[in-house]
Amino acid sequence: MSADQMTISEMLAATVSMARTLNLEFVETMPDKAVVALPDQSDFHDHVGGPHAGA
């Protein structure tokens, strides 16, 4: 798929490695805002079992 056929969500996932690492879900993307969901993943929990502050 060429870059001109990709959605903003696909482009971000393809070019921003942290978006892939965290499995970010781009729920809505508009010119003036984006809604992104961060799924709860045990791999990214801290030592007390909650989401790590860096995630």
Side-chain angles (χ1 to χ4, degrees), residues 4-6 8-9 13-15 19 21 26-27 30 33 36-38 41 43 45-48 51-53 55:
D4 61 337
Q5 296 172 325
M6 295 174 83
I8 293 290
S9 301
T15 59
T21 299
F26 296 90
V27 178
M30 298 173 37
K33 78 172 188 177
V36 181
L38 174 61
Q41 301 168 84
D43 287 345
H45 287 181
D46 61 18
H47 64 286
V48 295
H52 191 279

Side-chain angles (χ1 to χ4, degrees), residues 14-34:
T15 59
V16 181
S17 59
M18 189 58 100
R20 290 188 309 276
T21 299
L22 294 177
N23 298 313
L24 296 179
E25 298 171 5
F26 296 90
V27 178
E28 180 181 8
T29 54
M30 298 173 37
D32 60 338
K33 78 172 188 177

